[in-house]
Amino acid sequence: MWCIPKVTPEFKRRMFDVLKVYAREYDPTRPVVCMDEKNKQLLEDTRIPIMGKPGKPARADYEYKRNGTCNLFVAVEPKGEKRVVRVTRRRTGKDYASFIKYLVTHVYKKAAKIILVEDNLNTHNRKTLIESLGEKEGKRISRRIEWHYTPKHASWLDQAEIEIHSLETQCLNKRIPDFHTMQSEVAACVKKRNKDQCGINWQFTREEAEQKFKLS
């Protein structure tokens, strides 16, 4: 929260809007889904690491080879206790539109609407869907979405950041050498977290926000 320069009327409006969404009762026909992206470097060991054993941690050489980057689109349904992650080679508007279309037409095809919480990245909007999918398809997909945006300098209000942190501590905190290995590592982690029904117990409420930012 230290990065907030000033609590403006727009900041308050967006923050209170997102917190109101998080306070809704769980409704599988109108799931609240938080989405964010994460860029990751692909790093390959130049020497074979030494595996750990009891009393001795694993050891790896400090040198490594850079193999480019990839992007993770992360969508988490905090109260529905599930997440969807797609690893892509790029993070273009077309990649974003493809991921959103997948959520709408496959993951949540039976939902009346997806209540989507995102940050302010310039591709995260209805315009990107129309430009990437075509006007007819883009509008069809966007009609299934109710958009809510975090304030500027407050992406911490997007619960997808919590999910990304969990992924980083459980499967991304090591060198992953290539795109396909990244896909398999992420898929295994997501499968386990969904099987374990890991949700997010969000605690920050409007009342706490008013107290924290001295808005009352």
Side-chain angles (χ1 to χ4, degrees):
M1 298 182 189
W2 57 268
C3 60
I4 300 171
K6 186 178 181 181
V7 180
T8 63
E10 180 186 6
F11 184 98
K12 289 191 291 184
R13 178 182 62 79
R14 288 194 175 192
M15 176 174 66
F16 289 155
D17 175 62
V18 169
L19 294 177
K20 185 177 180 181
V21 167
Y22 289 164
R24 295 181 186 180
E25 292 292 327
Y26 175 62
D27 182 355
T29 68
R30 297 176 66 86
V32 174
V33 179
C34 303
M35 203 286 291
D36 202 356
E37 305 176 29
K38 178 67 177 180
N39 185 264
K40 290 295 294 183
Q41 286 194 73
L42 299 171
L43 303 175
E44 182 179 356
D45 287 308
T46 56
R47 297 175 67 186
I48 299 175
I50 300 174
M51 301 298 291
K53 27 176 99 168
K56 288 188 177 181
R59 287 170 286 175
D61 195 87
Y62 67 91
E63 291 186 352
Y64 54 83
K65 178 183 176 184
R66 297 178 187 272
N67 289 332
T69 62
C70 64
N71 188 63
L72 277 64
F73 286 97
V74 179
V76 60
E77 188 186 344
K79 292 181 179 177
E81 301 176 335
K82 69 179 180 181
R83 70 275 305 131
V84 179
V85 182
R86 175 181 286 183
V87 182
T88 61
R89 296 186 184 276
R90 302 179 301 167
R91 53 178 302 179
T92 65
K94 288 185 178 180
D95 295 304
Y96 167 80
S98 176
F99 183 63
I100 296 299
K101 180 178 179 180
Y102 176 71
L103 292 178
V104 169
T105 60
H106 289 82
V107 182
Y108 296 104
K109 62 182 179 180
K110 295 182 179 180
K113 256 191 189 203
I114 296 175
I115 316 304
L116 188 63
V117 177
E118 299 181 289
D119 63 16
N120 294 275
L121 194 64
N122 62 354
T123 55
H124 292 176
N125 50 53
R126 179 174 179 270
K127 181 181 177 182
T128 300
L129 297 184
I130 293 173
E131 289 178 346
S132 302
L133 303 175
E135 185 170 359
K136 182 178 179 180
E137 183 69 353
K139 287 182 177 179
R140 183 181 75 85
I141 297 299
S142 65
R143 281 195 293 268
R144 295 274 311 283
I145 299 170
E146 178 183 309
W147 266 287
H148 296 267
Y149 291 99
T150 61
K152 292 179 181 179
H153 307 292
S155 58
W156 48 268
L157 279 165
D158 186 345
Q159 293 188 57
E161 288 207 350
I162 298 174
E163 185 63 29
I164 289 172
H165 177 72
S166 295
L167 289 172
E168 287 187 318
T169 57
Q170 294 180 33
C171 72
L172 301 178
N173 59 346
K174 58 186 176 182
R175 294 173 187 169
I176 299 179
D178 56 68
F179 180 78
H180 295 297
T181 303
M182 179 68 76
Q183 285 183 310
S184 61
E185 290 280 350
V186 169
C189 185
V190 169
K191 181 178 180 181
K192 183 178 187 307
R193 286 180 60 75
N194 282 337
K195 182 180 179 181
D196 293 342
Q197 295 182 307
C198 297
I200 298 175
N201 184 18
W202 183 261
Q203 298 290 315
F204 192 63
T205 64
R206 177 183 177 123
E207 291 72 23
E208 290 174 326
E210 289 175 342
Q211 183 178 8
K212 176 75 175 179
F213 298 114
K214 298 179 173 59
L215 302 175
S216 56

